[in-house]
């Protein structure tokens, strides 16, 4: 167990603010600064609230769902300040802060108040700082330069009631030198994170009461986070079990180093890893693809079902009031081109229902036609949810011609044949088994087995005729329940020889392949969303999040969700998902020699560290269990924990290995550890280790790991979320330390130390 004597100090509290020339006070007492305008919407705002205040009054805000308190400056000056400070009170209000530009409509990232690392209560104001050089959650990311002139505090889907006070743009932020963390890593290195250029030369280290000297120090500032820094202190001797004490000018950090878990890594026993497992949906830019090493980019999701490539329109379906809009990005052809130019292959959705959007403005459920609905778009009060107040779908079904134009295989063929840039893989629409829900206006009749198969075969025949090299992926089913059952229900299963959907579907594809000599589907594509509920995001939920990757592979892991007790007929065992081996077995039995992909999956939390650790674990599992392709839903922040998981394996041209090497650790507990080994033809060993335990380091004794020079990447633990990397020596394979809640990448560099 770790005991850290100094308090865990949050990034927001480790800095001080000082007025040097002119801070801009946007609000202090009574009224908004006259240079600023109120651009709020659907919120009740009182600038002179006295129920709780500092000074003489505060701002009270009551925002409806998705509405906001928003203020706009005169001339654009925000970018010249160092940060935005404000006081907030409320019962943990669901509010996010963002900046935007009225000149070009750009928006910054949106930072949830919960990401600032402080507790917000209704009784007292809490001071939060949006440091433009160290954005929340405090990994050193810097605000992009733009014509920012607007600050928006937007409520989430349940609205928000809260107070703000003392909203100030700071001219300067002084960072007091501080040593934030000091953790053991590798065989003899202490990783020390600092703020304000703190001096690490006076740090003293003792192991079991004996002083250990520091023989080398190197310091780096992480890529993409120039204001964070980390120093690696090399010790004169290696770690060993016992008490490690690190004494600094800003507190003492103590750890108990445990006895090591023993095993072996065998590079000579290996098999290829598909490079396409490191994909995401809709990467944001070419540099995103290159920085994270994204190998496969998907154009997919609910909003591409109605994609009209000729007008570049689409419809949001039930994600947003069944409204048409300009597709974003507009041109699939250009998109395939630039993702390819950045080094990524592409997987592109071909609409497979009978309609696509006719324009950028129409919507299916106008209030003028259907006055009685559960909700209307806060930005367009005429566009309704398509649900009666009792939750039933609005009837009569609207005439599709109001919003859509017909779509058919000749239109699809015209689109694909005209593409200047060809996709690597196409998918047959997206989750069409639930179209009568997500696109109830377009396809109100629940889809059954036969219709889904017919649509898959029709798109496949069209696509293979037009693009002879393309791989066809289907059925892109949304989740576990629909792998086995159609939206028609049990009667559909009974009508199909009482067979679950997937095995039936595979049998039909095999029959088609046998009859025609051409495999209609090259890749069985599913979406996988973990079913356990981790939304509480407390310690128990985080531990569950890190355990539930076992559902991808483990034949003994009973799913910790409704799946475990569902009585539906999902042979061989309805309570054990064991996803990748299960689907491989089904494919072998019903439609052999077919690939398997997951074109949507998620860590369940893109901003919490455990979402990143889960992603590292999952990417290791995908390689080890021979998944053929995967794309994350959707485009995790490059500098957030999930983005860092991709960077760890693939960032900036470094990669884990072309093959998965055998790891054998008797007594290994997958609830607390993930250990993956990669190799290039039996050399250049790479190890990725995830320590899922928040409370202390683990140590490994791994035969087959040669001593020598290693390139180290890591994130997590006390060091936090940033792209930390260095070169270290592994002095012996017998005692390698991985800090708590940390993912590490260690790659043998026999020929030198170079890395990008
Ligand atoms: C850390 O220690 C240095 C050196 O004693 C001191 O100047 C600095 O104020 C300390 N930082 C904090 C946050 O206490
Ligand atoms: C480590 O410290 C604990 C608590 O101070 C003590 O009980 C234990 O004996 C120490 N272990 C070693 C190996 O020195
Ligand atoms: C609105 O729909 C609800 C049921 O969903 C019904 O009880 C109510 O009478 C309807 N109101 C009007 C004005 O039609
Ligand atoms: C829901 O309300 C609508 C409109 O009032 C009505 O037509 C429909 O029958 C109701 N559905 C149920 C299940 O009560
Ligand atoms: C196919 O769709 C196109 C584009 O909407 C339309 O012009 C054409 O008439 C349709 N063809 C058939 C046979 O429905
Ligand atoms: C599939 O194509 C055939 C032949 O063009 C057509 O008759 C059938 O309606 C199509 N099926 C679906 C579900 O679109
Ligand atoms: C129906 O299922 C049984 C086993 O569940 C199988 O033996 C039989 O071949 C199937 N029949 C058809 C027509 O697929
Ligand atoms: C599925 O596995 C669980 C856990 O091992 C076991 O309790 C259950 O009996 C199995 N069910 C079937 C149908 O084999
Ligand atoms: C191993 O890495 C070194 C650089 O450290 C490189 O020169 C060598 O080609 C690599 N070997 C293989 C098989 O990739
Ligand atoms: C920590 C703190 O300032 N607590 C205060 C919160 O507000 C209540 C009621 O106004 C005070 O009594 C606490 O002292």
């Amino acid at each position: 167990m770790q005991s850290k004597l100094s308090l865990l100090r949050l990034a927001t509290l480790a800095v001080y603010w000082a007025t040097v020339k002119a801070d801009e006070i946007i609000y202090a007492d009574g009224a908004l600064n006259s240079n600023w305008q109120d651009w709020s919407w659907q919120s009740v705002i009182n600038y002179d609230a006295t129920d709780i205040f500092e000074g003489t009054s505060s701002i009270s805000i009551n925002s409806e769902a998705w509405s906001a308190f928003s203020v706009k400056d005169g001339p654009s000056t925000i970018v010249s300040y160092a940060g935005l400070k404000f006081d907030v009170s409320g019962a943990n209000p669901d509010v996010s802060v963002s900046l935007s530009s009225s000149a070009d409509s750009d928006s910054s990232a949106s930072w949830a108040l919960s990401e600032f690392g402080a507790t917000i209560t209704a009784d007292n104001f809490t001071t939060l700082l949006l440091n433009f050089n160290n954005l929340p959650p405090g990994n050193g990311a810097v605000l992009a330069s733009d014509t920012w002139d607007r600050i928006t505090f937007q409520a989430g889907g349940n609205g928000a009631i809260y107070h703000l006070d003392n909203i100030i743009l700071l001219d300067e932020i002084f960072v007091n030198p501080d040593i934030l963390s000091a953790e053991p890593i590798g065989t003899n290195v202490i990783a020390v994170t600092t703020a304000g250029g703190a001096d690490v030369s006076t740090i003293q280290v003792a192991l079991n009461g004996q002083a250990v000297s520091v023989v080398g120090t190197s310091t780096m500032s992480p890529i993409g986070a120039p204001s964070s820094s980390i120093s690696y202190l090399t010790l004169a001797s290696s770690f060993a079990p016992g008490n490690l004490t690190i004494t600094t000018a800003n507190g003492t950090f103590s750890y108990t180093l445990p006895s090591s878990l023993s095993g072996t890594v065998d590079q000579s026993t290996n098999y290829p890893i598909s490079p396409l497992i490191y994909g995401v949906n809709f990467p944001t830019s070419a540099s995103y693809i290159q920085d994270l090493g994204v190998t496969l980019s998907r154009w997919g999701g609910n909003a591409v079902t109605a994609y009209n490539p000729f007008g570049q329109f689409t419809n949001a379906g039930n994600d947003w009031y069944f409204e048409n809009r300009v597709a974003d990005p507009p041109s699939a052809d250009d998109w395939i081109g630039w993702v390819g130019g950045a080094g990524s292959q592409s997987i592109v959705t071909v609409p497979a229902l009978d309609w696509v959007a006719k324009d950028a403005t129409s919507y299916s459920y106008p209030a003028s036609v259907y006055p009685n609905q559960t909700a209307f778009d806060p930005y367009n009060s005429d566009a309704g949810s398509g649900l009666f107040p009792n939750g039933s779908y609005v009837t009569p079904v609207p005439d599709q011609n109001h919003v859509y134009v017909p779509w058919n295989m000749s239109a699809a063929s015209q689109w694909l044949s005209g593409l200047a840039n060809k996709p690597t893989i196409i998918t047959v629409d997206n989750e069409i088994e639930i179209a009568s829900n997500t696109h109830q206006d377009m396809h109100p009749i629940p889809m059954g087995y036969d219709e889904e198969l017919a649509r898959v075969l029709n798109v496949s025949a069209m696509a293979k005729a037009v693009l002879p090299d393309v791989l066809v992926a289907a059925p892109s089913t949304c989740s576990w329940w629909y792998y086995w059952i159609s939206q028609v229900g049990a009667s559909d299963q009974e009508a199909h020889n009482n067979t679950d959907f997937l095995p039936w579907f595979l049998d039909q594809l095999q029959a088609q392949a046998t009859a025609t000599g051409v495999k209609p589907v090259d890749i069985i594509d599913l979406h996988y969303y973990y079913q356990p509920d981790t939304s509480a995001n407390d310690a128990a939920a985080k531990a569950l999040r890190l355990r539930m990757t076992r559902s991808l592979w483990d034949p003994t892991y009973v799913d910790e969700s409704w799946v475990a007790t569902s009585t539906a007929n999902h042979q061989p065992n309805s309570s054990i998902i064991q996803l990748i081996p299960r689907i491989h077995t089904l494919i072998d039995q019903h439609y052999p020699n077919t690939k398997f992909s997951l074109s949507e999956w998620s860590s369940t939390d893109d901003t919490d560290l455990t979402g990143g650790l889960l992603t590292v674990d999952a990417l290791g599992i995908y390689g080890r269990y021979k998944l053929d392709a995967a794309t994350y839903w959707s485009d995790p922040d490059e500098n957030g924990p999930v983005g860092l998981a991709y960077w760890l394996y693939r960032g900036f041209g470094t990669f884990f290995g072309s093959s998965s090497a055998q790891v054998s650790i008797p007594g290994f507990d997958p609830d607390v550890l993930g250990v993956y080994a990669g190799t290039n033809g039996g050399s250049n060993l790479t190890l990725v280790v995830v320590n899922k335990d928040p409370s202390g380091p683990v140590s490994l004794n791994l035969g087959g790991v040669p001593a020598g020079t290693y390139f180290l990447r890591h994130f997590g633990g006390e060091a936090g979320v940033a792209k930390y990397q260095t070169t270290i020596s592994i002095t012996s394979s017998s005692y390698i330390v991985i800090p708590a809640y940390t993912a590490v990448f260690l790659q043998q560099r026999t020929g030198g130390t170079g890395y990008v």
Side-chain angles (χ1 to χ4, degrees):
M1 294 290 288
Q2 165 198 346
S3 71
K4 189 177 155 195
L5 300 183
S6 67
L7 283 174
L8 175 71
R9 278 150 309 172
L10 302 161
T12 49
L13 305 179
V15 296
Y16 291 72
W17 33 86
T19 306
V20 173
K21 51 174 209 269
D23 289 349
E24 170 89 346
I25 298 173
I26 300 171
Y27 174 88
D29 285 309
L32 197 58
N33 176 331
S34 59
N35 292 332
W36 290 71
Q37 300 161 8
D38 182 341
W39 282 33
S40 306
W41 70 94
Q42 284 175 302
S43 299
V44 177
I45 296 163
N46 176 3
Y47 283 102
D48 204 8
T50 51
D51 47 338
I52 177 170
F53 58 92
E54 286 166 353
T56 60
S57 61
S58 69
I59 311 175
S60 69
I61 299 160
N62 184 345
S63 288
E64 291 177 20
W66 309 117
S67 61
F69 169 70
S70 183
V71 290
K72 184 191 163 299
D73 197 0
S76 157
T77 50
I78 291 177
V79 79
S80 68
Y81 288 91
L84 175 74
K85 180 170 83 82
F86 54 93
D87 298 338
V88 57
S89 78
N92 200 18
D94 180 13
V95 171
S96 296
V97 192
S98 63
L99 304 177
S100 57
S101 161
S102 59
D104 58 14
S105 299
D106 284 355
S107 286
S108 70
S110 177
W111 300 279
L113 297 187
S114 58
E115 284 181 78
F116 285 71
T119 306
I120 300 168
T121 62
D123 295 347
N124 304 80
F125 278 108
T126 303
T127 300
L128 298 185
L129 175 67
L130 183 69
N131 182 339
F132 297 160
N133 288 305
N134 187 17
L135 295 166
N139 60 14
V142 172
L143 180 68
S145 187
D146 205 321
T147 53
W148 309 122
D149 60 355
R150 187 171 174 189
I151 302 167
T152 298
F153 294 79
Q154 186 170 15
N158 293 317
I161 298 175
Y162 60 107
H163 287 73
L164 292 174
D165 205 349
N166 302 318
I167 307 173
I168 302 172
L169 282 167
L170 300 171
D171 181 60
E172 190 175 77
I173 296 169
F174 169 70
V175 181
N176 191 16
D178 199 6
I179 291 174
L180 304 171
S181 70
E183 287 175 299
I185 193 166
T187 45
N188 62 344
V189 173
I190 307 286
V192 181
T193 64
T194 62
D199 180 10
V200 298
S201 69
T202 61
I203 290 175
Q204 294 182 324
V205 180
L207 182 60
N208 293 322
Q210 297 287 308
V212 183
S213 56
V214 174
V215 295
T217 300
S218 68
T219 296
M220 66 92 59
S221 227
I223 297 165
S227 68
S228 293
S229 62
I230 193 164
S231 295
Y232 296 96
L233 276 47
T234 305
L235 303 180
S237 58
S238 299
F239 297 126
N243 295 330
L244 178 72
T245 308
I246 305 162
T247 308
T248 83
N250 302 105
T252 299
F253 303 86
S254 302
Y255 300 90
T256 300
L257 298 182
S259 54
S260 55
L261 189 60
S262 295
T264 54
V265 174
D266 178 4
Q267 286 190 78
S268 68
T269 305
N270 62 67
Y271 45 81
I273 296 171
S274 169
L276 299 185
I277 60 178
Y278 308 101
V280 305
N281 280 264
F282 289 119
T284 51
S285 65
S287 63
Y288 179 101
I289 288 173
Q290 288 157 350
D291 297 355
L292 300 187
V294 172
T295 52
L296 180 64
S297 301
R298 176 168 177 258
W299 169 284
N302 292 343
V304 300
T305 287
Y307 177 61
N308 179 343
F310 307 116
Q312 306 184 342
F313 315 124
T314 195
N315 180 281
N318 73 352
D319 286 337
W320 199 256
Y321 302 95
F322 301 89
E323 287 174 29
N324 283 354
R325 62 177 190 232
V326 175
D328 179 24
S331 163
D333 197 353
D334 291 351
W335 181 86
I336 297 165
W338 74 254
V339 304
S344 168
Q345 299 192 41
S346 53
I347 175 167
V348 173
T349 301
V350 176
L353 300 180
D354 300 325
W355 305 92
V356 292
K358 76 169 185 186
D359 59 22
T361 53
S362 300
Y363 41 91
S364 287
Y365 297 100
S368 47
V369 180
Y370 305 102
N372 200 11
Q373 302 188 53
T374 52
F376 296 91
D377 178 357
Y379 305 92
N380 175 0
S381 57
D382 193 44
S385 62
L387 299 174
F388 283 127
N390 62 12
S392 300
Y393 294 150
V394 163
T395 51
V397 172
D399 178 352
Q400 284 92 347
N401 290 294
H402 291 153
V403 171
Y404 300 108
V405 288
W407 179 255
N408 49 49
M409 289 306 105
S410 64
S413 168
Q414 188 192 336
W415 172 43
L416 293 187
S417 61
L419 288 175
N421 302 292
K422 310 296 185 201
T424 320
I425 304 170
I426 62 112
T427 56
V428 179
D429 214 304
N430 172 75
E431 306 184 351
I432 48 173
E433 75 286 349
I434 54 166
S436 62
N437 174 236
T438 46
H439 304 281
Q440 69 188 44
D441 54 339
M442 191 199 279
H443 191 288
I445 308 293
M447 189 166 302
Y449 286 27
D450 296 332
E451 182 186 343
E452 184 161 1
L453 175 69
R455 290 187 187 273
V456 168
L457 295 180
N458 284 4
V459 170
S460 166
M462 178 279 302
K464 284 178 181 271
V466 182
L467 302 172
D469 297 329
V470 86
L471 297 173
V472 174
S476 305
T477 309
C478 67
S479 69
W480 176 257
W481 178 258
Y482 292 102
Y483 299 171
W484 319 109
I485 296 164
S486 78
Q487 205 155 32
V488 172
S491 62
D492 202 20
Q493 212 167 27
E494 283 154 22
H496 292 87
N497 197 25
N498 216 18
T499 308
D500 288 343
F501 173 73
L502 269 182
W504 176 87
F505 180 73
L506 295 172
D507 282 342
Q508 308 313 306
L509 297 179
Q510 182 58 51
Q512 174 81 2
T514 303
T516 63
V518 178
K519 279 174 84 82
V521 170
D522 305 287
I523 306 172
I524 295 304
D525 182 49
L526 300 174
H527 295 171
Y528 186 64
Y529 288 99
Y530 295 97
Q531 298 299 319
D533 181 1
T534 58
S535 57
N537 212 30
D538 55 11
K542 290 179 191 199
L544 170 58
R545 180 174 297 133
L546 292 171
R547 279 198 302 275
M548 70 191 181
T549 53
R550 291 174 63 187
S551 67
L552 294 170
W553 63 274
D554 189 340
T556 66
Y557 181 66
V558 177
D559 204 60
E560 297 177 73
S561 75
W562 62 270
V563 168
T565 51
S566 162
T567 54
N569 176 32
H570 320 143
Q571 297 306 320
N573 188 315
S574 57
S575 58
I576 293 175
I577 291 183
Q578 203 195 347
L579 183 74
I580 304 174
R582 172 196 290 263
I583 302 298
H584 279 151
T585 300
L586 270 181
I587 288 173
D588 289 347
Q589 289 168 348
H590 298 273
Y591 186 44
N593 304 313
T594 310
K595 295 179 190 294
F596 172 35
S597 67
L598 296 175
S599 67
E600 287 187 19
W601 69 280
S602 166
S603 69
T604 72
D605 196 324
D606 284 10
T607 58
D608 192 84
L609 171 61
T610 54
L613 299 179
L614 177 149
T615 303
V616 172
D617 203 28
L619 293 175
I621 291 165
Y622 294 168
R624 177 171 294 163
Y625 287 89
K626 304 181 188 174
L627 190 67
D628 292 295
T631 46
Y632 190 86
W633 184 264
S634 62
D635 53 342
D637 177 4
E638 179 178 335
N639 293 309
V642 175
L644 261 54
Y646 284 82
W647 162 82
L648 190 89
Y649 278 93
R650 305 275 315 177
F652 296 90
T654 290
F655 71 99
F656 175 64
S658 56
S659 300
S660 176
Q662 189 178 68
V663 177
S664 159
I665 304 178
F668 175 84
D669 181 352
D671 291 347
V672 295
L673 209 54
V675 183
Y676 304 95
T679 179
N680 290 315
S683 67
N684 293 45
L685 176 70
T686 308
L687 283 180
V688 165
V689 184
V690 191
N691 179 359
K692 305 180 184 182
D693 183 349
S695 64
V698 292
S699 77
L700 294 170
N701 171 2
L702 291 178
V705 174
T709 303
Y710 281 76
F711 175 52
L712 166 70
R713 278 179 172 165
H714 63 103
F715 71 89
E718 296 295 317
V721 173
K723 294 173 180 168
Y724 297 119
Q725 62 183 25
T726 190
T727 302
I728 64 169
S729 289
I730 293 291
T731 54
S732 146
S733 65
S734 66
Y735 199 82
I736 301 171
V737 175
I738 312 297
Y741 251 21
T742 297
V744 305
F745 172 101
L746 279 165
Q747 186 163 61
Q748 197 188 4
R749 290 289 166 106
T750 50
T753 59
Y755 56 87
V756 189

